[in-house]
Amino acid sequence: MLAANTSDFHRQKLCRMIAFWAACLWLATASAADPVATEEKPNILLIVADDLGFSDLGCYGGEIETPELDRLASNGTRLTRFYTTGRCCPSRASLLTGQYPHRVGVGHKVEDLRRPGYRGRIPEGTPTIADVLQAGGYRCFHSGKWHLGTPDPTEHGFEEFYGTLISAQTFWDPDHYLRLPAGRERIEYPEGRFYGTDAVTDHALQFLEMSQATPGSPWFLYVAYHAPHFPLHAREEDIAKYADTYSVGWDQIREDRLTRMKELGIVDQDTNLTPRSQYWNFGETHTGLNPEWGTLSSERRLDLARRMAIYAAMVDRVDQNIGRIVDALQATEQFEDTLIIFLSDNGACAEWDPYGFDGKSSPNNELHVGEQLDEMGGPETYHSVGSGWANASNSPWRLYKHFNHEGGISSPCIVHWPNGSVPRNVVSHQPAHLIDVMPTAAEVADTELADNQKGPGENLISLLNSEDDRGRILFFEHEGNRAVHAGDWKLVSLRDEPWELYHIPTDRTELVNLADHHSELVEDLERKWNEWAAENFVTPLPDDYEVKYLRRPGQQPPQLSSE
């Protein structure tokens, strides 16, 4: 009897072992086939700066100290032709949905202009990157600026949110920043120690800690810094690093940047610096060209140099905080298998003239002198950098945020993924766009996009490993400014102005308008733009954008003045 019982015991044990290994084999097979399985899916870190110029970073030719981003660039790929929509809200709508912004109702700002492409918010049920990745087994977090017109990012696929629903109006007041879902506690700071950029990172790091509770699940972290968007607010120790940097003026800074950009391979060796750009004042009652630095009074130069020093300090602090996130990833051994994408939402902001504004976005400007200079950038101040410095930040391109010329839509973009197929220490001239981020995230996450989630974008990783741009066509529109990129050509216009045509391989600086020499090409590209505009709710364009900074319906555009 004992022998029989022993034999039964061994048979039961053997059956259990067979069942166990069969289950393991089934799980392994299922994980390989199931797109929701999380094994070997990379983490995804998407970092966005706000109103950062094309050449502000050190690795793009700038004089601002950005060692953390420079290191990512040296071990990843820098894109020189990464395009945005030219404005904060539309760019974020494109970035998070993979669609052109008008297609999802955010063709202008977050105010409702009562047209399908201009409702000022993404429609209910519009899938975001977070929705897609969450369905693929990812935990999704957002810290920073939302600006998609809806009241709660946690209703769009994100588990946790900290930041602002619109642009930050201060970097100094913790009560200006929101924590969602409702009831979640914010990190508290000692009196006088809060600073918005640091707080966005603190909460991002907190979210990464939360993700460690589920080590088998990959994560998507979207960090959207508010800097260097106005108001110009920075810690004094950061400003001090640049106290003397900008006294040489924007003309010298532009020349120095172009020299370094050529050395780095960001632009071709025969690239010429564009003339100082045109600007339009608040209300568009006056337009002119940014003045030569040497023609400004000594007091005005001190005021403007301080503004740019604060701006540089804000960029510097963003870079420091990116370093904190990288350190955390390295400490938890997640860095090698995290896809990092860094970009800006548009070019640098010129609002509204060479002197910048004060107090609020308006025609108001104050000339700061004496002890007032030291107070600039503090909690009781509110400044913008102005069009002269924005022109320098976008070197060597023309124009700025709002516009579809290269200075408005060109962004630095760094892609880094040590364990992935991202080329290392490469400068890529492949054209790419915000609409490419959604399909890139889906593909690396091995998550198939449903029909309502598919857009016109392409996988960035594939683009970076391709030598052929396949004559890609990209479309743009903001506030009546229009453009279409098609292979080697770009058709672009200012609002209510004739089309301009440029041959990008030889003239990305948009200096030689060839429209009169290629009328058939102009007609063809215009037709393509009109078709795209009709299909994506861009047209008919609004008669009135209902903002005070643009000219009103019936108001004649100002004539260019060189004063």
Side-chain angles (χ1 to χ4, degrees):
M1 188 71 172
L2 181 60
N5 289 341
T6 304
S7 177
D8 288 343
F9 170 79
H10 285 297
R11 280 197 299 270
Q12 292 170 5
K13 182 177 180 181
L14 179 62
C15 289
R16 286 196 299 269
M17 289 178 64
I18 293 171
F20 170 77
W21 287 112
C24 289
L25 179 62
W26 179 86
L27 284 171
T29 304
S31 295
D34 185 355
V36 180
T38 58
E39 285 190 355
E40 299 184 359
K41 292 185 177 183
N43 303 310
I44 303 173
L45 172 60
L46 175 59
I47 307 174
V48 178
D50 198 348
D51 290 4
L52 180 76
F54 181 79
S55 60
D56 280 330
L57 304 181
C59 54
Y60 276 80
E63 67 292 327
I64 302 173
E65 295 180 19
T66 55
E68 302 297 338
L69 284 166
D70 295 350
R71 271 190 286 273
L72 291 177
S74 67
N75 290 288
T77 298
R78 276 167 287 177
L79 285 81
T80 65
R81 293 186 64 191
F82 186 86
Y83 290 111
T84 69
T85 72
R87 188 70 180 278
C88 304
C89 336
S91 282
R92 291 159 205 277
S94 258
L95 177 67
L96 292 186
T97 68
Q99 303 287 345
Y100 284 112
H102 308 75
R103 186 78 183 174
V104 289
V106 192
H108 189 227
K109 297 178 65 179
V110 291
E111 288 75 31
D112 187 358
L113 298 182
R114 300 166 299 284
R115 295 173 184 253
Y118 304 88
R119 299 310 303 264
R121 57 185 291 146
I122 57 174
E124 184 176 350
T126 301
T128 68
I129 294 181
D131 291 317
V132 170
L133 293 178
Q134 187 181 68
Y138 278 70
R139 300 189 64 185
C140 301
F141 310 95
H142 177 22
S143 186
K145 178 177 174 179
W146 176 239
H147 221 186
L148 266 70
T150 57
D152 189 348
T154 64
E155 295 179 356
H156 297 277
F158 292 100
E159 292 180 37
E160 307 286 340
F161 170 74
Y162 172 82
T164 65
L165 298 179
I166 59 172
S167 296
Q169 297 302 303
T170 177
F171 285 74
W172 303 113
D173 183 2
D175 292 334
H176 186 61
Y177 297 74
L178 183 67
R179 183 73 169 87
L180 292 170
R184 293 288 201 271
E185 291 187 2
R186 300 177 304 185
I187 298 172
E188 297 298 326
Y189 297 88
E191 184 71 26
R193 291 308 306 160
F194 178 87
Y195 181 68
T197 300
D198 296 339
V200 165
T201 304
D202 292 339
H203 287 83
L205 293 174
Q206 185 183 68
F207 297 159
L208 287 180
E209 289 179 8
M210 291 180 184
S211 75
Q212 296 305 292
T214 53
S217 298
W219 48 260
F220 168 57
L221 175 59
Y222 172 39
V223 183
Y225 289 110
H226 301 87
H229 191 293
F230 62 80
L232 297 177
H233 285 164
R235 294 194 183 279
E236 186 54 45
E237 62 265 30
D238 293 329
I239 302 173
K241 293 171 65 174
Y242 302 95
D244 301 321
T245 303
Y246 297 103
S247 60
V248 297
W250 49 59
D251 296 321
Q252 187 64 53
I253 292 294
R254 294 179 72 218
E255 292 179 7
D256 292 346
R257 287 193 179 192
L258 180 57
T259 298
R260 288 191 293 268
M261 294 170 83
K262 291 178 179 180
E263 293 171 353
L264 293 168
I266 302 299
V267 297
D268 293 337
Q269 293 299 312
D270 58 356
T271 299
N272 294 315
L273 191 64
T274 56
R276 287 181 293 274
S277 279
Q278 186 176 358
Y279 67 87
W280 291 260
N281 71 341
F282 188 96
E284 295 189 321
T285 60
H286 169 78
T287 183
L289 298 176
N290 289 316
E292 182 182 346
W293 182 259
T295 65
L296 302 174
S297 70
S298 59
E299 289 182 336
R300 179 62 69 185
R301 292 198 297 267
L302 288 172
D303 172 284
L304 287 168
R306 175 72 177 190
R307 290 174 192 261
M308 189 58 187
I310 303 167
Y311 175 98
M314 296 171 77
V315 176
D316 189 309
R317 178 63 67 156
V318 165
D319 186 76
Q320 294 176 46
N321 276 278
I322 290 172
R324 294 174 60 204
I325 298 175
V326 168
D327 288 346
L329 295 180
Q330 291 175 329
T332 53
E333 299 184 348
Q334 298 180 88
F335 180 68
E336 297 294 316
D337 202 28
T338 296
L339 169 63
I340 301 176
I341 301 175
F342 171 88
L343 55 91
S344 177
D345 58 351
N346 43 248
C349 179
E351 300 174 12
W352 294 106
D353 61 32
Y355 298 162
F357 61 73
D358 296 282
K360 63 178 181 178
S361 182
S362 68
N364 302 326
N365 171 266
E366 177 183 346
L367 176 61
H368 300 81
V369 297
E371 295 180 355
Q372 294 175 329
L373 292 169
D374 294 332
E375 297 172 0
M376 295 177 72
E380 305 303 319
T381 66
Y382 196 107
H383 321 287
S384 78
V385 73
S387 58
W389 284 124
N391 197 183
S393 286
N394 295 331
S395 297
W397 316 131
R398 286 176 57 190
L399 298 179
Y400 343 79
K401 172 183 176 179
H402 292 269
F403 300 97
N404 291 167
H405 286 73
E406 292 294 283
I409 58 176
S410 299
S411 164
C413 180
I414 300 168
V415 183
H416 180 279
W417 185 14
N419 284 357
S421 54
V422 173
R424 296 192 175 204
N425 196 22
V426 168
V427 176
S428 171
H429 304 293
Q430 285 280 18
H433 191 283
L434 293 165
I435 55 177
D436 298 331
V437 176
M438 170 84 120
T440 302
E443 190 154 337
V444 301
D446 194 21
T447 301
E448 187 173 352
L449 292 172
D451 288 343
N452 72 327
Q453 297 168 338
K454 294 178 180 177
E458 301 184 22
N459 180 1
L460 270 174
I461 310 300
S462 298
L463 286 173
L464 298 183
N465 285 281
S466 172
E467 296 291 333
D468 180 18
D469 68 10
R470 299 180 298 282
R472 190 174 188 191
I473 300 180
L474 297 169
F475 297 96
F476 307 83
E477 189 283 330
H478 187 69
E479 294 178 343
N481 304 298
R482 309 168 290 167
V484 52
H485 269 279
D488 290 344
W489 295 95
K490 179 182 179 182
L491 193 68
V492 61
S493 80
L494 297 172
R495 180 163 58 116
D496 298 330
E497 296 290 335
W499 286 109
E500 304 164 15
L501 180 69
Y502 299 101
H503 185 246
I504 294 302
T506 57
D507 185 27
R508 192 178 166 195
T509 45
E510 300 170 314
L511 296 175
V512 182
N513 180 8
L514 299 174
D516 291 341
H517 301 280
H518 299 277
S519 58
E520 291 185 3
L521 179 58
V522 170
E523 290 175 5
D524 180 56
L525 294 179
E526 180 179 30
R527 177 182 55 79
K528 287 182 169 64
W529 188 92
N530 286 333
E531 290 172 353
W532 166 80
E535 293 171 359
N536 288 274
F537 314 129
V538 178
T539 52
L541 297 173
D543 299 317
D544 186 355
Y545 290 92
E546 301 180 14
V547 288
K548 294 181 179 180
Y549 60 81
L550 293 177
R551 63 181 184 269
R552 308 298 294 169
Q555 177 184 337
Q556 293 299 310
Q559 297 301 306
L560 178 62
S561 168
S562 59
E563 294 178 4

